[in-house]
Structures are given as C-alpha cells and as structure tokens.
C-alpha cells in the first residue's frame, strides 16, 4: 500500500515491466489519491478546528485570550475558567435536568415506538397502512407548529414549567422516526418465528416480550443514541416552556453566561460549554461505531 | 398478521403511542389551523376573523416576505454546505484506504454540540473587535479588505447565520451518502473503468444514478430541516440587524411570544408546514422526473 507521496513518485519514475494501460493509469491514480487525501485533510481540519479552538480557549488565561491570536497555543494553561464557570451558573443542576429530560423522552420514544411498530408491522389490523402513514408524515412536520398550541394547553392544565412539558413534545416529534426504524427492523424478523411461538401457545404479549423485544436491542441503541443528540441539545421547547431557573436544561443554562457579569467572560463561558459538551461527546466517541452503523442502516433502507 | 392477536391486544399496543403522538403533534396541528382563523392575544376573547390573517400575511406584511426570502437564502446555503459537502467528502472517502472511520467520526463531531454553544463559538469566530478567527484568516491570506463584523453587516449576516447550521449537520448526511456509495456494485464500476470511463463519467453515469433514491431522501431531510431552522439565527442575531437575518421561523416565534399575537403566529406556522409539504412534493417530482428521462 502506498501511503506517502515520496515513494509513489519514486515508483512512477522507475521503469515498470507491466502492460501498457496499467503503466499509464498508475501515476494518475496515485496523484488522484494523494490529492483526495489532501482535500480530505483540509476539510476535516476546517470542520474540527473550531471545536479544538473551543477546548483550547477554555484552558487559556483571560489575558492570553484578550491578546487574541486564535492560532497560537495557550501561553499558560489554567483551570481557573472552570471554577469561574461553576461559580457563575448552575451547571450541575442544568446537567441533571438535561439528563432527566433526555432519559424520560428516550424511554417514551423507545417503548412507544416499539409498541406502535409492533401493532402495525407484526399484529396487523385493517387500517394499519393508514396509521403507519399518519406516523411517517410526522417526520416532516416542523416543531414550530406545536409551540403556540402546546403553550396554551400547558397553561390551561398547569403543565407549564415542568419536565413533562419538555418531554412530551420531544418524544412526540421523535416518535415517527422511531416507529419507522423499528418497523423496518421488524420486517426482517422471519414470520416463521412468530408462527412457531403462536403454535406453542404464546399470545401477542408474550411474543412481544420474549421475541420482539430481545431481538430489537441493536435498534434500541441506535434510536436512543440518535435521539439523545437532539434531545440533550434541545433549545426551542425548553426555551418556550421552561421559565424557572430550577428546571433549566443545559442550552438554557449556557445562555446565563452571556452578559452575566456585565461583560461576557468568554473563557469561563467556553469552559462551561466544554463541561456541558463532554458527557455527550464521551458517549458519542465510545459508541460511535454503533451509532454510525445504525444511521447508515436506517438511511439506506429509506 | 399474528394468528393469536385480538382486537384488544392491538389496542393495547397502539393506543399509548397514538395518545402521545396525538397530544404532542396531531392535536396541536389542528389547533394551529383553527387558531389561524382567529385574532387572539391569549388573554382577551378570541375573535373569528376568517381569512384576514392569511390575507394580511400574503399581501400586506413586508416583514413576512422579507423573512421568507431570507429563509430561502438560508436554505440554499445549508443545502450547498450539507449536501454538497457531504457528497464531496463521501466520494473522496472512497478513495482512502485507511482512516475512513476516523474521518467519519471527526466529520460528524459538530453534530453533537448544542446550538447555544455553536452560537457562542461562531459569535467569536465572526467578531471584528476583538479580531475573530475568520477575520484573522482573511488578513493572513492577504484579503484584509474583506475583514468586517460579519454579524452586524447587513450584507453578510444571513450567510453568517446560515453557515453554522450547514457546518453542523454535514457529517450526518455524509454518513448516509457514504453508505449508499459503498453499496454501488463494484462490478458496475469496474466495467465502466474498463470501457474507459473518466472519473467524472463514473460518478455521473454509474454512482449517482445508483444512489438517487438515497439522494432524494437526504435532500428531503436537509430541506425540511433547513426550512424549520431556528436556533442559530435566533440566538446569534435574533433576526437583526433590522430584518436582515429574520427567518419565517424566528418571525413566527417573535409574533407568538413577544407580541403575543397567537392567531397570526398560528397562521405563519401553518405556512411553515405548507412550505415543507410543498418542498417535499417539488423534490420528489423534480428528482424522480430527471431519473426517468
């Protein structure tokens, strides 16, 4: 395998005893490959650089940041920003709230998505095509349509400013994708499995618990990972339905840093951003294989 | 169909998801439709105004039209960055022999960051005083004349608030397109190469037609996500300066929760849904037809 441009150049210069078309193609091929590699490196660096800069900035001293060369390595590393970040806001509480909302919504998304897909795909009923269509339509419905009605409904029944006020719409709008992913997975479970279980006297509930549920664990991981990214970072529902400090999730908590001290303390703000990004980032880096596979599988079936 | 199912068991499995979906999605859609025919500030009496909200929106509201055009611009930039970037990187990735997993992970990384954090980050990148990343890069490249406060310049603010959204999700679409490209049969490609097809021909004649169904799906996803884009413009500029980065979504949000004009805000949100449905219809029509021709 040719990995460096230098040996590649040597090889193309050397006479090659192979047949003509191969000799003609090889220099172009290596050139092309080197070029592709260079472009990819540039794009990936541009893509990741802002994040690297974010993490570096959180370790800079304020003076170093104010002096402002964005490419220089920090002259001195400091953890001061992190202590100021924790002193300013309610980072711990924000993270806990985000955790509760993400968990609650994920449980609903997985359990309800699986149940709906089971009813539509496995049990089957007369209007199942229609119900499936109604669910799938939800994939393209923008969340903005629900803000005003939910705000009005919540204030009527006293749900404004609760965890549920965020969890219910987050779950509702994520359900269509979950139903879609589970029902396309259920298609692949052979019918004979179900028929055999039925003959053995298992009813729909036992079949769900003993066959469908255990087989779907991979899909569950995918659904949870993909949705967690969106729910952990949800801004619009939290911003609309949550009013008190005690229920603020991470995106709302971060907003407190802007202008909290008259002038924005950027290094502390970036430290706070780093703290809030880290849990999801770790999960993502550990489980990214599973997630990438899930995304690819889900998409290529569509 | 399961032989032992009963009507009751279907209901047991179907009702709970339908209730949540109905409460969070279906019922609010109906409510918005109804509200869009009323004038209501949330406190006083609701007053039925018929089509007046729609007439006002479509014929008298300059801010609405301005924000609609801005939304199209925002969408265009997002689509170019997300789908163009995704297709480019996915194609290049195929020619790599090692490090594909690493590139995929790194490229997807921005999708994990919350929009609030992204808004902070890009505020700093665009700033002129103190000099931010972008202006610094420009002056190093000898393009100092282009330096400006990107977010307060009315000519650049729309592009400036659109780019972060494009940047954020391009990795997601890249994964999807890459998976589709991997599924293109090797024999087809090899046969084309033997017939002397150039790289460009290989792409336009073999690969792209093969991934067209996935391309339609990703275009629909990116378009509907682009049309509902809200967080980053709202957080970075709140539509300003003036209305130069106002999107239909931010305008609707302000109408609802700053001016508390629930009726009119519902009219705008019905428009956002209609816009998405029309866009999906157009995409399916255009891309399908080209495929058949």
């Amino acid at each position: 395998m040719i990995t460096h441009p230098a040996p590649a150049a040597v090889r193309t210069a050397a006479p090659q005893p192979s047949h003509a078309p191969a000799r003609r193609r090889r220099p172009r091929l290596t050139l092309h490959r080197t070029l592709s590699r260079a472009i990819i490196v540039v794009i990936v660096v541009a893509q990741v650089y802002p994040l690297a800069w974010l993490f570096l900035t959180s370790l800079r001293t304020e003076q170093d940041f104010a002096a402002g060369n964005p490419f220089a390595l920090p002259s001195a590393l400091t953890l001061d920003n992190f202590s100021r970040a924790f002193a300013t806001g309610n980072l711990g509480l924000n993270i806990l709230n985000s955790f509760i909302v993400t968990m609650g919504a994920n449980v609903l998304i997985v359990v309800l998505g699986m149940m709906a897909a089971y009813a539509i795909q496995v049990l089957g009923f007369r209007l199942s095509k229609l119900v499936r269509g109604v669910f799938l339509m939800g994939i393209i419905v923008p969340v903005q349509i629900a803000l005003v009605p939910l705000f009005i409904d919540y204030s009527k029944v006293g749900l404004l400013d609760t965890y549920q006020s965020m969890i219910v719409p987050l779950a509702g709008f994520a359900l269509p994708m979950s139903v879609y992913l589970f029902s396309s997975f259920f298609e692949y479970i052979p019918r004979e499995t179900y028929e055999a279980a039925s003959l053995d006297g298992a009813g729909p509930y036992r079949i769900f618990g003993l066959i469908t549920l255990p087989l779907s664990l991979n899909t569950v991981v995918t659904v949870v990972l993909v949705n967690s990214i969106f729910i952990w970072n949800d801004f619009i529902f939290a911003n609309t339905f949550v009013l008190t400090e005690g229920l603020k999730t991470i995106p709302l908590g971060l907003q407190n840093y802007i202008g909290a001290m008259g002038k924005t303390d950027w290094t502390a703000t970036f430290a706070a951003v780093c703290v809030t990004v880290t849990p999801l980032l770790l999960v993502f880096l550990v489980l990214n294989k599973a997630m990438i596979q899930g995304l690819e599988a889900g998409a290529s079936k569509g | 169909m399961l032989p032992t199912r009963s009507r009751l068991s279907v209901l047991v499995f179907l009702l709970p998801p339908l209730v949540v979906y109905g409460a969070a999605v279906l019922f609010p859609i109906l409510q918005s439709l109804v509200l869009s025919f009323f004038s209501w500030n949330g406190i006083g009496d609701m007053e039925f105004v018929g089509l007046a909200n729609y007439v006002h929106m479509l014929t008298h509201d300059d801010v609405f039209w301005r924000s609609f055009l801005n939304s199209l611009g925002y969408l265009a930039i997002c689509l170019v960055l997300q789908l163009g970037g995704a297709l480019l990187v996915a194609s290049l990735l195929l020619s790599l022999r090692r490090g594909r997993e690493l590139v995929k992970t790194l490229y997807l990384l921005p999708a994990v960051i919350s929009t609030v954090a992204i808004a902070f980050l890009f505020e700093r990148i665009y700033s002129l005083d103190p000099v931010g990343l972008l202006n610094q890069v420009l002056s190093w490249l000898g393009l100092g004349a282009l330096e400006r406060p990107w977010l307060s310049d009315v000519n650049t603010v729309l592009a400036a608030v659109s780019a972060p959204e494009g940047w954020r999700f391009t990795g997601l679409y890249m994964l999807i397109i890459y998976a589709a490209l991997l599924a293109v049969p090797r024999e087809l490609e090899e046969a084309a190469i033997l017939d002397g097809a150039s790289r460009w021909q290989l792409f336009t004649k073999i690969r792209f037609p093969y991934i067209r169904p996935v391309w339609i799906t990703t275009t629909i996803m990116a378009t509907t996500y682009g049309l509902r884009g809200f967080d980053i413009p709202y957080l970075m500029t709140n539509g300003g300066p003036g209305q130069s980065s106002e999107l239909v979504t931010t305008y609707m949000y302000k109408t609802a929760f700053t001016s508390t004009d629930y009726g009119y805000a519902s009219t705008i949100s019905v428009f956002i849904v209609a816009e998405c449905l029309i866009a999906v219809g157009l995409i399916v029509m255009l891309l399908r037809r080209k495929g058949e021709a």
Side-chain angles (χ1 to χ4, degrees):
Chain A
M1 183 186 299
I2 298 157
T3 44
H4 301 291
V10 171
R11 182 172 300 186
T12 52
Q16 294 254 326
S18 57
H19 28 268
R23 195 170 54 204
R24 253 195 326 162
R25 204 175 304 126
R26 187 163 286 167
R28 258 178 52 207
L29 214 68
T30 41
L31 178 72
H32 179 87
R33 189 163 292 151
T34 316
L35 203 66
S36 311
R37 200 170 294 152
I39 297 175
I40 285 208
V41 168
V42 170
I43 293 178
V44 168
V45 166
Q47 184 82 351
V48 179
Y49 189 79
L51 295 180
W53 181 71
L54 177 81
F55 277 92
L56 274 182
T57 304
S58 72
L59 296 171
R60 275 176 211 269
T61 62
E62 270 176 284
Q63 297 80 350
D64 190 26
F65 179 72
N69 179 350
F71 292 103
L73 287 172
S75 54
L77 294 180
T78 169
L79 290 175
D80 265 9
N81 302 319
F82 287 87
S83 52
R84 281 208 314 289
F86 275 100
T88 309
N90 291 317
L91 271 188
L93 187 63
N94 296 148
I95 292 175
L96 177 71
N97 286 337
S98 278
F99 191 74
I100 292 173
V101 171
T102 308
M103 281 295 155
N106 266 319
V107 167
L108 284 183
I109 292 168
V110 167
V111 172
L112 297 179
M114 223 190 244
M115 286 166 71
Y118 184 72
I120 293 168
Q121 196 70 41
V122 179
L123 295 181
F125 51 95
R126 202 147 34 99
L127 293 173
S128 60
K129 283 250 162 60
L130 176 77
V131 173
R132 193 180 136 93
V134 168
F135 272 114
L136 292 193
M137 180 205 78
I139 293 178
I140 58 164
V141 172
V143 296
Q144 281 89 0
I145 188 91
L147 294 177
V148 170
L150 283 179
F151 189 83
I152 296 168
D153 298 345
Y154 283 155
S155 57
K156 271 186 197 144
V157 297
L159 268 179
L160 218 51
D161 214 16
T162 57
Y163 288 124
Q164 299 91 295
S165 68
M166 292 178 270
I167 292 175
V168 168
L170 282 169
F173 277 90
L175 254 187
M177 205 36 148
S178 160
V179 171
Y180 170 72
L181 285 174
F182 278 115
S183 59
S184 24
F185 172 72
F186 291 169
E187 273 180 68
Y188 287 83
I189 301 180
R191 300 226 62 91
E192 295 79 47
T193 322
Y194 293 126
E195 276 152 21
S198 289
L199 286 180
D200 289 345
Y205 308 103
R206 287 194 58 195
I207 291 180
F208 181 78
L210 294 177
I211 300 177
T212 313
L213 185 69
L215 283 176
S216 329
L217 285 182
N218 277 333
T219 313
V220 171
V221 172
T222 308
V223 170
V224 167
L225 280 177
V226 175
N227 281 305
S228 296
I229 290 185
F230 290 98
I231 297 169
W232 184 264
N233 294 327
D234 162 68
F235 170 72
I236 195 164
F237 288 127
N239 192 48
T240 313
F241 302 136
V242 166
L243 314 162
T244 49
E245 206 55 48
L247 283 173
K248 283 190 174 174
T249 53
I250 289 169
L252 297 187
L254 281 181
Q255 279 194 300
N256 287 350
Y257 287 88
I258 290 299
M261 289 160 258
K263 203 162 156 257
T264 304
D265 182 349
W266 282 105
T267 47
T269 306
F270 283 174
V273 169
C274 288
V275 171
T276 59
V277 161
T278 308
L280 197 58
L281 207 59
L282 286 180
V283 172
F284 170 73
L285 288 176
V286 171
L287 293 175
N288 86 82
K289 266 236 170 76
M291 197 184 101
I292 286 177
Q293 273 165 7
L295 275 175
E296 289 174 346
S300 48
K301 275 177 209 144
Chain B
M1 272 186 209
L2 219 56
T4 55
R5 83 202 158 88
S6 61
R7 191 169 290 240
L8 178 71
S9 66
V10 171
L11 282 180
V12 165
F13 281 106
L14 197 60
L15 265 187
L18 268 184
V19 166
V20 170
Y21 183 61
V25 182
L26 297 178
F27 189 59
I29 294 178
L30 286 181
Q31 267 183 302
S32 281
L33 266 173
V34 172
L35 274 172
S36 70
F37 296 106
F38 284 85
S39 165
W40 190 36
N41 63 6
I43 305 160
D45 290 330
M46 287 169 72
E47 186 198 341
F48 182 75
V49 292
L51 288 172
N53 284 334
Y54 287 93
V55 172
H56 176 72
M57 177 175 80
L58 295 173
T59 57
H60 293 303
D61 193 346
D62 294 339
V63 179
F64 168 76
W65 283 109
R66 179 77 202 266
S67 63
F68 178 60
L69 291 180
N70 283 342
S71 288
L72 293 183
Y74 177 87
L75 176 66
I77 293 175
C78 287
L79 286 184
V80 168
L81 286 177
Q82 291 175 344
L83 297 181
L87 191 58
L88 177 70
V89 173
S91 306
L92 290 175
L93 207 52
L94 286 178
S95 68
L96 279 194
R97 287 191 178 165
R98 283 196 287 185
R100 288 184 183 185
E101 293 303 314
L102 180 70
V103 171
K104 279 200 270 183
T105 306
L106 289 178
Y107 204 62
L108 190 60
L109 217 48
V112 185
I113 315 293
S114 80
T115 46
V116 178
I118 288 177
F120 288 160
L121 183 62
F122 277 83
E123 247 166 66
R124 290 292 314 170
I125 289 178
Y126 288 136
S127 82
L128 181 63
D129 180 33
V131 178
L133 195 59
L134 181 60
N135 287 316
Q136 191 108 33
V137 171
L138 284 175
S139 78
W140 279 3
L141 293 174
L143 296 168
L146 289 176
E147 281 183 52
R148 64 186 75 203
W150 296 86
L151 286 176
S152 31
D153 187 322
V154 289
N155 297 312
T156 56
V157 64
L158 184 62
V161 296
S162 313
E165 181 74 19
W167 170 75
R168 187 157 87 100
F169 278 138
T170 175
L172 203 66
Y173 299 111
M174 190 275 281
L175 279 183
I176 297 172
I177 292 170
Y178 172 73
L181 283 175
L182 270 190
V184 177
R186 296 291 304 161
E187 307 84 62
L188 273 183
E189 296 182 357
E190 277 157 15
I193 290 172
L194 277 181
D195 287 343
S198 68
R199 270 173 196 288
W200 179 246
Q201 283 172 324
L202 185 66
F203 178 76
T204 53
K205 297 268 156 52
I206 307 286
R207 284 187 183 154
F208 191 76
Y210 199 86
I211 65 165
R212 187 183 296 273
V214 175
W215 182 254
I216 294 178
T217 315
T218 36
T219 310
I220 289 175
M221 278 170 74
T223 307
T224 51
Y225 276 112
L227 285 175
R228 67 180 96 162
F230 169 81
D231 293 13
I232 292 174
Y234 177 79
L235 288 163
M236 284 177 87
T237 61
N238 197 10
Q243 262 92 40
S244 32
S245 61
E246 193 85 85
L247 303 185
V248 179
T249 48
T250 57
Y251 181 48
M252 177 253 145
Y253 198 84
K254 284 194 238 172
T255 309
F257 299 108
T258 311
S259 333
T260 55
D261 191 344
Y262 289 155
Y264 194 48
S266 299
T267 313
I268 304 175
S269 67
V270 169
F271 176 85
I272 297 173
V273 174
E275 191 184 49
C276 285
L277 292 176
I278 292 170
V280 171
L282 279 179
I283 292 167
V284 171
M285 226 169 67
L286 288 177
L287 289 178
R288 280 258 169 83
R289 190 174 290 170
K290 250 193 236 159
E292 283 154 13

